[in-house]
Amino acid sequence: MDGTRYNTARYGVFDEGPGRGTFPDAFERYAGQVSPDEDEFLALARAAMDRLFQQASQLSAASGGYMVFADYEAGGGGRHYLGAMVKTRPGLTLTDALQPEELMALELDRVHQGARINFARFANYQTAGADERQEIRYLSFVSPRTAKGTAGYFVTALGCTAGTAAS
Protein backbone atom coordinates (compact mmCIF):
# COMPACT_ATOMS: atom_id res chain seq x y z
CA MET A 1 0.00 0.00 0.00
CA ASP A 2 1.70 3.18 -1.12
CA GLY A 3 1.02 6.77 -0.24
CA THR A 4 -0.65 9.11 -2.71
CA ARG A 5 -1.32 12.82 -2.78
CA TYR A 6 -4.36 12.14 -0.58
CA ASN A 7 -2.75 9.90 2.01
CA THR A 8 0.45 8.77 3.67
CA ALA A 9 1.95 5.30 4.12
CA ARG A 10 3.84 3.61 6.96
CA TYR A 11 5.44 0.19 7.20
CA GLY A 12 5.83 -2.16 10.15
CA VAL A 13 5.41 -5.55 11.83
CA PHE A 14 3.19 -7.06 14.50
CA ASP A 15 3.95 -5.93 18.05
CA GLU A 16 5.56 -8.54 20.29
CA GLY A 17 4.65 -6.71 23.52
CA PRO A 18 1.46 -5.92 25.46
CA GLY A 19 -0.02 -3.91 22.56
CA ARG A 20 -0.19 -7.02 20.37
CA GLY A 21 -3.87 -7.84 20.90
CA THR A 22 -5.58 -10.81 19.26
CA PHE A 23 -5.34 -10.05 15.53
CA PRO A 24 -1.67 -11.04 14.93
CA ASP A 25 -2.28 -14.54 16.31
CA ALA A 26 -5.44 -14.88 14.22
CA PHE A 27 -3.49 -13.81 11.12
CA GLU A 28 -0.66 -16.22 11.89
CA ARG A 29 -3.15 -19.12 12.08
CA TYR A 30 -4.79 -17.98 8.83
CA ALA A 31 -1.46 -17.58 7.01
CA GLY A 32 -0.48 -21.10 8.11
CA GLN A 33 -3.38 -22.63 6.17
CA VAL A 34 -2.38 -24.12 2.82
CA SER A 35 -5.69 -23.21 1.26
CA PRO A 36 -7.91 -21.25 3.67
CA ASP A 37 -11.63 -21.58 3.10
CA GLU A 38 -14.41 -19.00 3.35
CA ASP A 39 -15.06 -19.71 7.04
CA GLU A 40 -11.40 -19.12 7.91
CA PHE A 41 -11.38 -15.89 5.90
CA LEU A 42 -14.52 -14.67 7.67
CA ALA A 43 -13.06 -15.59 11.08
CA LEU A 44 -10.00 -13.44 10.35
CA ALA A 45 -12.17 -10.55 9.13
CA ARG A 46 -14.23 -10.83 12.33
CA ALA A 47 -11.07 -10.79 14.45
CA ALA A 48 -9.99 -7.60 12.68
CA MET A 49 -13.43 -6.04 13.07
CA ASP A 50 -13.59 -6.87 16.78
CA ARG A 51 -10.27 -5.10 17.38
CA LEU A 52 -11.16 -2.16 15.13
CA PHE A 53 -14.49 -1.75 16.93
CA GLN A 54 -12.74 -1.79 20.32
CA GLN A 55 -10.31 0.93 19.24
CA ALA A 56 -12.87 3.06 17.39
CA SER A 57 -15.18 2.96 20.42
CA GLN A 58 -12.51 4.79 22.39
CA LEU A 59 -12.20 7.60 19.84
CA SER A 60 -14.65 10.44 19.49
CA ALA A 61 -13.20 11.18 16.04
CA ALA A 62 -14.02 7.74 14.59
CA SER A 63 -16.41 8.63 11.79
CA GLY A 64 -17.24 5.23 10.33
CA GLY A 65 -17.19 3.93 6.81
CA TYR A 66 -17.36 0.59 5.02
CA MET A 67 -14.78 -2.10 5.71
CA VAL A 68 -13.35 -4.15 2.86
CA PHE A 69 -11.31 -7.29 3.49
CA ALA A 70 -9.56 -9.24 0.75
CA ASP A 71 -7.08 -12.08 0.34
CA TYR A 72 -5.68 -11.55 -3.14
CA GLU A 73 -2.72 -12.08 -5.42
CA ALA A 74 -1.26 -9.03 -7.10
CA GLY A 75 0.30 -9.54 -10.51
CA GLY A 76 3.91 -10.43 -9.69
CA GLY A 77 3.60 -8.97 -6.19
CA GLY A 78 2.44 -12.17 -4.51
CA ARG A 79 -0.34 -12.79 -2.06
CA HIS A 80 -1.65 -10.09 0.28
CA TYR A 81 -4.32 -9.60 2.94
CA LEU A 82 -6.06 -6.23 2.85
CA GLY A 83 -8.26 -4.50 5.39
CA ALA A 84 -9.41 -1.05 4.29
CA MET A 85 -12.02 1.51 5.25
CA VAL A 86 -13.69 3.43 2.47
CA LYS A 87 -16.11 6.31 2.83
CA THR A 88 -19.21 7.22 0.88
CA ARG A 89 -19.77 10.45 -0.96
CA PRO A 90 -23.00 11.91 -2.28
CA GLY A 91 -23.51 12.00 -6.00
CA LEU A 92 -26.08 12.17 -8.75
CA THR A 93 -27.19 9.78 -11.42
CA LEU A 94 -29.78 10.05 -14.16
CA THR A 95 -32.79 7.76 -14.33
CA ASP A 96 -33.99 6.21 -17.61
CA ALA A 97 -36.32 9.22 -17.89
CA LEU A 98 -33.25 11.50 -17.59
CA GLN A 99 -34.33 12.76 -14.16
CA PRO A 100 -31.56 13.46 -11.62
CA GLU A 101 -31.55 11.07 -8.67
CA GLU A 102 -29.40 11.05 -5.54
CA LEU A 103 -26.75 8.37 -5.39
CA MET A 104 -24.33 7.30 -2.66
CA ALA A 105 -21.00 6.15 -4.10
CA LEU A 106 -17.94 4.58 -2.48
CA GLU A 107 -14.88 6.81 -2.59
CA LEU A 108 -12.44 4.19 -3.87
CA ASP A 109 -9.82 6.68 -5.00
CA ARG A 110 -9.25 7.75 -1.38
CA VAL A 111 -8.83 4.89 1.06
CA HIS A 112 -9.61 6.36 4.46
CA GLN A 113 -7.61 3.84 6.51
CA GLY A 114 -6.03 0.61 5.47
CA ALA A 115 -3.57 -2.16 6.24
CA ARG A 116 -2.01 -4.65 3.87
CA ILE A 117 0.00 -7.72 4.86
CA ASN A 118 2.40 -9.37 2.44
CA PHE A 119 2.26 -13.16 3.01
CA ALA A 120 5.73 -13.91 1.57
CA ARG A 121 7.43 -11.24 3.69
CA PHE A 122 5.48 -12.43 6.73
CA ALA A 123 6.75 -16.00 6.17
CA ASN A 124 10.31 -14.70 5.69
CA TYR A 125 10.04 -12.73 8.93
CA GLN A 126 8.82 -15.82 10.81
CA THR A 127 11.91 -17.82 9.79
CA ALA A 128 14.46 -14.99 9.97
CA GLY A 129 16.97 -14.48 12.74
CA ALA A 130 16.83 -11.45 15.04
CA ASP A 131 19.23 -9.37 12.91
CA GLU A 132 17.41 -10.18 9.67
CA ARG A 133 14.05 -9.27 11.22
CA GLN A 134 15.24 -5.69 11.60
CA GLU A 135 15.16 -5.35 7.82
CA ILE A 136 11.84 -7.07 7.03
CA ARG A 137 8.57 -5.12 6.96
CA TYR A 138 5.52 -7.12 5.92
CA LEU A 139 2.79 -4.64 6.93
CA SER A 140 1.89 -1.39 5.23
CA PHE A 141 -0.65 1.14 6.46
CA VAL A 142 -2.30 4.07 4.78
CA SER A 143 -4.32 6.95 6.20
CA PRO A 144 -5.31 10.47 5.17
CA ARG A 145 -2.55 13.06 5.32
CA THR A 146 -4.80 15.06 7.61
CA ALA A 147 -5.03 12.26 10.24
CA LYS A 148 -3.29 13.16 13.51
CA GLY A 149 -1.83 9.68 13.96
CA THR A 150 -0.61 8.13 10.74
CA ALA A 151 -2.74 5.09 9.99
CA GLY A 152 -4.85 6.11 12.99
CA TYR A 153 -6.31 3.39 15.12
CA PHE A 154 -5.61 0.69 12.50
CA VAL A 155 -2.04 0.30 13.76
CA THR A 156 -3.14 -0.10 17.37
CA ALA A 157 -6.20 -2.22 16.62
CA LEU A 158 -4.29 -4.73 14.53
CA GLY A 159 -1.54 -5.05 17.15
CA CYS A 160 1.21 -3.56 15.04
CA THR A 161 4.36 -1.57 15.46
CA ALA A 162 4.64 1.02 12.71
CA GLY A 163 8.00 2.23 11.49
CA THR A 164 8.77 5.57 9.95
CA ALA A 165 6.44 7.17 7.43
CA ALA A 166 7.22 6.89 3.75
CA SER A 167 7.94 10.14 1.95
Side-chain angles (χ1 to χ4, degrees):
M1 203 171 272
D2 299 318
T4 69
R5 67 183 177 142
Y6 299 117
N7 59 42
T8 180
R10 288 188 81 149
Y11 302 91
V13 297
F14 289 132
D15 193 345
E16 295 296 330
R20 184 174 171 89
T22 57
F23 179 77
D25 294 330
F27 180 79
E28 192 170 336
R29 283 189 301 275
Y30 180 80
Q33 301 294 316
V34 175
S35 182
D37 63 22
E38 182 179 323
D39 290 335
E40 292 162 329
F41 174 81
L42 291 173
L44 182 59
R46 283 187 191 101
M49 284 301 301
D50 287 346
R51 291 290 297 158
L52 287 165
F53 179 76
Q54 289 170 5
Q55 290 299 312
S57 297
Q58 298 173 16
L59 300 173
S60 59
S63 59
Y66 293 92
M67 289 300 304
V68 175
F69 293 99
D71 179 337
Y72 67 97
E73 289 202 31
R79 186 172 165 213
H80 295 86
Y81 182 79
L82 172 75
M85 179 186 291
V86 293
K87 300 282 188 171
T88 59
R89 65 174 176 218
L92 291 174
T93 187
L94 295 175
T95 66
D96 290 340
L98 299 179
Q99 296 296 317
E101 182 177 85
E102 283 189 51
L103 170 75
M104 293 306 287
L106 291 177
E107 215 173 353
L108 295 176
D109 57 337
R110 295 185 191 194
V111 171
H112 185 69
Q113 299 273 4
R116 181 177 68 181
I117 306 170
N118 181 306
F119 281 87
R121 288 184 188 160
F122 179 74
N124 290 343
Y125 185 88
Q126 296 294 95
T127 60
D131 290 340
E132 293 171 302
R133 285 184 170 196
Q134 299 297 319
E135 302 298 320
I136 301 172
R137 299 290 175 257
Y138 51 83
L139 292 164
S140 57
F141 307 95
V142 67
S143 68
R145 288 194 183 274
T146 57
K148 284 186 180 179
T150 301
Y153 52 89
F154 262 62
V155 174
T156 306
L158 299 182
C160 305
T161 300
T164 58
S167 58

